[in-house]
Amino acid sequence: LSKSALSKQVAQLTEAGYLSEEYVTRAGRSRLRLALTDEGVQAYRNHVRALKDIIESSAPVRSLNDRRC
């Protein structure tokens, strides 16, 4: 992932209210600290729940030994 692509994604998530940004300086170096907001945490949990629902609702995978012609 390139720095520019990451920067674009961070900006979009921040604008949507899912991330908060904080610039901190440690040992003379500037760093950007990112954190999920409460809204971001809820969106993440909803996304994980939706993925689990998709997995659970899919048909079971048949093994190669369970072929019925």
Side-chain angles (χ1 to χ4, degrees):
L1 184 64
S2 69
K3 186 175 179 179
S4 63
L6 177 60
S7 176
K8 183 177 179 179
Q9 293 300 312
V10 167
Q12 289 176 337
L13 292 169
T14 301
E15 289 173 16
Y18 295 147
L19 283 180
S20 64
E21 297 179 337
E22 177 186 6
Y23 287 92
V24 295
T25 303
R26 181 179 284 170
R29 298 190 67 173
S30 180
R31 300 278 189 214
L32 174 61
R33 181 181 295 165
L34 301 170
L36 285 174
T37 62
D38 291 340
E39 187 178 353
V41 170
Q42 190 59 46
Y44 175 76
R45 288 180 178 158
N46 290 341
H47 183 71
V48 169
R49 187 177 313 118
L51 292 174
K52 286 180 179 179
D53 289 345
I54 291 169
I55 291 168
E56 291 171 359
S57 68
S58 65
V61 177
R62 291 178 19 201
S63 72
L64 294 174
N65 296 330
D66 188 29
R67 287 196 259 173
R68 297 182 183 144
C69 298

